[in-house]
Structures are given as structure tokens and as C-alpha cells.
Amino acid sequence: MSPRESSRERLITWAIFLGALLLCGLLLSVELQWNFGYDQGTFAYGGSAILKGARTYIDFWDIKPPNIFYTYALAFELFGESVAALRLFDFLCTLLTLSLIWFVTFGLFEKFSRPEIKNMWWVRLAAVFAMFAYSLSYLNQGFQDTAQCETFSLPLLLGSAMLVLSTSARVHWSRLFLSGALIGVSCFYKYPFGLFILLPLTIIWLRQTECKERLISSLFVCAGLFVALLIQAILLLPNEELQELWKITQQATLSYNRNNFSGTFTIFNNLRTSVQMFVGLWLALGAIGLLLLLWSSEKAKRRALLRPLSVLCVGAVIGFLIVQMQNKGYKYHYQVLLPWVVILIGAGMATLAIAVRVKKPVPRVVVFALLLIGLFLGTLWSGQAALKDSLTPSENGSTSSFTYIAGDHLTNYVLAHSRPIDRIFIFGFQPYVYWYTHRKPATRFLNTIHFKPSYVAPELRKELIDSLRQDPPLLFFVETGDHYTSQGDSFDDSRTTITKRYPAIDSLLSTRYRLADTVDDILAYRLR
């Protein structure tokens, strides 16, 4: 290819990438109107508290590793402390993920493969289809399952793979080290993400031929992982946050995972939910396209394709194992599967798109655009309820009537019946109220999600009860409709839990408080 032709091809590639990113951004912009769910309320309070000088786990308690709280703090620091600020940050993070999906697709099918794959248009289309498939799958999750640990970890995981793929035959040790370090940072969002260290190692062993080079490259990746973990742990040491995090992990985290009342999610259940996570039409057509691609390719090309396809399959399997380890089956857990599967879908869809025969007067660009529009409309028609809700948000910014967060009634009640200096406490699932009303919780426990089961550590029970007894909050709220089977080993709501398992708190409510009101099925007690 002459220099002029090469420059023209690069220009076309960049134009297609920017155009696809713009269209996906317009599609994803509905996210900017979304509200918070239960998890986002917890993370928002933690992020806000960090900006005010609070210490993780010491001043506020939760079982999640610290990076999600620091991510929310960064979003609030950059764009202001609001729902809109976090949604903008999440939107920009999603655009970064889409960009990395594009570059990983090119890294796999252009550079990582042998020269037998020469069809640049096929690679471009594969990347475009992957970006659109990811955008629709992300929207399909809705407001409660976005802006999660998985959301902000995906750029790290994709970046790790891209760094190894961009390493030329002459190995750049710094890129390999940084690749492992990105995995290490993702571990402090969720510990199981460390399994993704196997993905860059797989790329190294498939790409390099000499055993010595493979071993040295793998050691650099592992060194990056270890150093990143060590630095993050050291940063938590001075304020005793690391010690408290270790205690929480040994007690609450492991117990919560083992005793989850929603049931053990078998491999079959997780496979079924994984398929449901993706837009069915895209998944089916992508699979057909991949089979067609492998069946119609020459032997040399088929052998070249197996390497990048193997890497994507390894990524999907790792993601599936991480979902299985968490034993809860929440929709957002399956996000770690998305990038690797959508690239596989993109490769299959690109094959089908190129296989379409058109007459000369009809430009191929028009055919591809019509195919994308048809798939989008077919996705809506195929019954993706969450996707339809996501594209048609309600007036208050929420996209569903079912949500863990409190509505305006409870937040307005708190604002009307307390002052900023007053402390409140909620036995239930409403950490959003603390953050939204700027009222400090009466204890360091942001919510009682981990106090409903029967297996709560005795010292945690004692701390909760003692803190409420010693300095009772002005307002004490108790939920009566939070029958969430995914939380603990009981179907009891919070009021029943207090009666059965916390007689001391029940006594406190009867002697020190009066029932002042009921707000959206939440009992509002006021200190006498």
C-alpha cells in the first residue's frame, strides 16, 4: 500500500470510529436523566463523606472495597455533588469503554492475527457492531444496574488487554507492567476481578513463540498486579482502614456470599441470565455470522481467526466465573461479560453484513446503516422491557417504579422535620436519604442490609445497638415493605427483623420514641 493509500485508510478508519462513537453517545445520552438506585445511594454518601475528610470503613461502613467510593468522590469533585454529576461521569466512562472496545477489536483482528486477515472493512464493521451491541446491552440494564463497580472497572480490564495487544514483537516491559497494574486497581473495586490477570497472560502465550519471552513477559504483568495491590493497601494503612477492611471481608463479605437467601446460582441459572443480559437478536445473528465466518474461510484464515476468538472466549469465561463466585445473580454482575461477548457478536455481524449482496447503485454504507437501524428497531420489538423503559424515562428521572431508593416523600419529610445538625437513622435500604438530605447517620452503618440475616457477627450487632442507645437519633425510620430475598437468609421486612432479632432496638423504639408518621410504608419514629 502506498503512503497516500495508507493515509487515506487511516483517515477512513478514524472517521468511522468517531461517527460510531457519536451515534452511540447520542443513544446513551438518555442515561443522563436517570436517578440513583440503592447501591448508588450508598456509594454517593461514601464519596461525599470522603470529600469531607471521612475515612472508609471507620467513619462509614460497607462491604465494598474502597475504589468505588473514591470514584464517586472524584465525580463529585469534578462536576459537583449531584445525581446529574455522577451520571455525566458514568456517561463519559461508558464512552471510554466503547472507545477501548474499538481499539481492542482492532488489536485482536488486525495486529494480533496473522496476515491472512486483510479485510479492513470487515474489522471496522466488527468494531462498529460491537460498540452498538454494547450500548444497547448497557441501556438494557437500567438505572439501578449502572454506575456500579463493574462499570468503572471495564476501562481498566479493556485497557489491560489493549496494552498487551499493542506491544510489538520487541516487548515493551513498561506496557506489560502497566497492564498488570490496571488489573490490580480493578481488584479494589471487587476482589474477583483479579482473575482477569489470566487474559493478558493468555494473549502473551498465544502471541509469543519463545518460552523465555513468554515467561519474562508474564512476570512483568504479574509484577504490575502485585505492586498495584501493595500500593493501594499501603495507602489504607495510616488510618487503620486496611485493618477494618480485612475484618469486614473476613466476617460480613464471606458470610453474605455464602448465605445469600436468593439461592445458589447454578451454572445453568447463570448461563440463562447471561444470555438474557444480551440483546437476543444481536446474540443470535452474531452466532450465525461467526459460524459462517469459520465455515467459509480458508484453512489459513480459519487458523488465524482462532487466536483472537480464543482470547475473547477466555475473557467471557473469566467473566462468567466471576459472576458465579459472587453467588447473587444481580444484573450488573454480568457487565464483566459484555466487552468480550459484544466483540464476538461484532465479528459475526460484520460477516453477515459483508455477505449481503447489493447492486452497484446502492452504496454499502447505506446497507450497513439500514442494518443497524433494523437491528435497533428489532431489539425494541423483541420485548426488551428494560431497554424500552431506559429510552422512555419518567418525569422524576427514575425509569422504574421498583427501586430501593426513597422517593421525594421521605426525603421531603426528613428536610421538613429535622435540621442539618440533627442525626437520623434508617433500618432498611435507604442510604440515598442521608446523602440527599445532608443528614448524618446515627451510626457508621449506612444501611442495615447486612444486619437482617441471622449470621451477623456478635460484635457488629453490639456496636449497632450500643451506638443507638448511647446517642439516639432525632428521627428513626423503619421499613415495612423491604422483603428482598437477595439480602440474607430471611424474607422478613425490617420491622419484623427488629422484633425477632433486635429486642433491644425494639425496646428503644417503645420507650424513647413515638410513632410520628408513616411515609411510603416506612414508619417514622421521633425521639420523645
Side-chain angles (χ1 to χ4, degrees), residues 356-378:
V356 175
R357 303 295 181 185
V358 295
K359 295 183 179 180
K360 287 286 184 181
V362 182
R364 279 196 177 274
V365 175
V366 175
V367 176
F368 301 148
L370 290 175
L371 185 58
L372 282 174
I373 294 171
L375 284 169
F376 173 70
L377 296 176

Side-chain angles (χ1 to χ4, degrees), residues 113-117 297-307:
S113 303
R114 294 185 177 90
E116 284 82 356
I117 300 177
S297 299
E298 298 175 356
K299 186 175 181 180
K301 184 178 180 181
R302 189 183 303 121
R303 190 165 51 246
L305 281 167
L306 287 176
R307 298 172 69 208

Side-chain angles (χ1 to χ4, degrees), residues 53-56 58 70 234-244:
R55 299 164 297 171
T56 54
I58 305 296
Y70 285 106
I234 290 173
L235 291 174
L236 293 173
L237 268 176
N239 295 320
E240 299 184 349
E241 294 166 284
L242 182 64
Q243 297 91 315
E244 190 64 25

Side-chain angles (χ1 to χ4, degrees), residues 16 53 59 63 73 75 78 83 107 121 190 228 272 380 393 417 473 501:
I16 293 173
D59 298 317
I63 69 169
L78 291 175
V83 173
W121 273 106
K190 279 190 177 178
R272 182 181 60 190
L380 294 178
H417 293 83
R501 296 175 181 165

Side-chain angles (χ1 to χ4, degrees), residues 66-120:
N67 282 358
I68 187 63
F69 300 109
Y70 285 106
T71 299
Y72 272 63
L74 176 61
F76 291 154
E77 181 70 18
L78 291 175
F79 303 118
E81 193 172 325
S82 66
V83 173
L86 192 279
R87 284 301 175 187
L88 175 60
F89 189 84
D90 183 48
F91 173 74
L92 295 175
C93 178
T94 308
L95 293 184
L96 175 59
T97 299
L98 287 170
S99 302
L100 290 169
I101 286 174
W102 172 279
F103 291 116
V104 169
T105 304
F106 265 78
L108 284 169
F109 292 116
E110 184 191 16
K111 297 178 181 178
F112 184 57
S113 303
R114 294 185 177 90
E116 284 82 356
I117 300 177
K118 300 176 182 179
N119 194 330
M120 280 297 296

